[in-house]
Amino acid sequence: MKEKESTYKIIELVGSSGSSWEDAAKNAVETAAKTLRGLRIGEINKLDVKIDNGKVVAYRARVHLSFRYKSNRASVGGEQRKSNMVSPPLFISKTDRPKKNRRYSLML
């Protein structure tokens, strides 16, 4: 069976935890999952620790996450495709919501 061609977007996040690198990576993925749909692959790129007074106080994991890229443009048949982004968080007021046809960066 031939695999359907697709395009994926890759983002980089840094998760942190006071207990382990595993929890740090998990925090990054779970945070991204709140605002992105269709997360596919996570790749741990770097592990480090935060040190205070000679003691490890936080574990950090730099993670690359990928998700299938979907266009917001209408398809040939006139059907509108949905974006990978979930609607804006509830704390954004109506006047602060993104305007149509503008590009915004995802900040986690």
Side-chain angles (χ1 to χ4, degrees):
M1 177 182 249
K2 187 176 179 181
E3 188 174 323
K4 185 178 175 182
E5 292 182 13
S6 57
T7 302
Y8 292 87
K9 172 85 175 160
I10 298 173
I11 61 171
E12 182 178 70
L13 303 170
V14 177
S16 64
S17 168
S19 57
S20 71
W21 283 303
E22 183 178 330
D23 286 346
K26 188 176 176 182
N27 289 340
V29 171
E30 289 175 355
T31 300
K34 292 176 185 177
T35 57
L36 295 172
R37 293 187 183 124
L39 292 174
R40 306 289 278 185
I41 301 292
E43 179 181 9
I44 308 299
N45 292 73
K46 185 177 179 180
L47 300 173
D48 62 29
V49 293
K50 184 176 178 184
I51 301 169
D52 190 19
N53 291 325
K55 295 191 178 195
V56 174
V57 295
Y59 296 84
R60 300 183 336 159
R62 186 175 297 182
V63 182
H64 282 173
L65 297 175
S66 67
F67 56 91
R68 184 174 285 173
Y69 178 78
K70 293 182 182 180
S71 173
N72 282 333
R73 296 181 184 182
S75 69
V76 175
E79 174 183 316
Q80 185 72 23
R81 291 183 176 176
K82 292 183 178 180
S83 167
N84 286 40
M85 297 296 294
V86 176
S87 60
L90 296 176
F91 63 84
I92 295 179
S93 69
K94 287 184 180 181
T95 58
D96 292 338
R97 288 184 188 239
K99 306 280 190 279
K100 288 185 178 179
N101 300 324
R102 290 194 183 169
R103 294 181 185 192
Y104 293 88
S105 297
L106 171 66
M107 297 181 63
L108 299 174

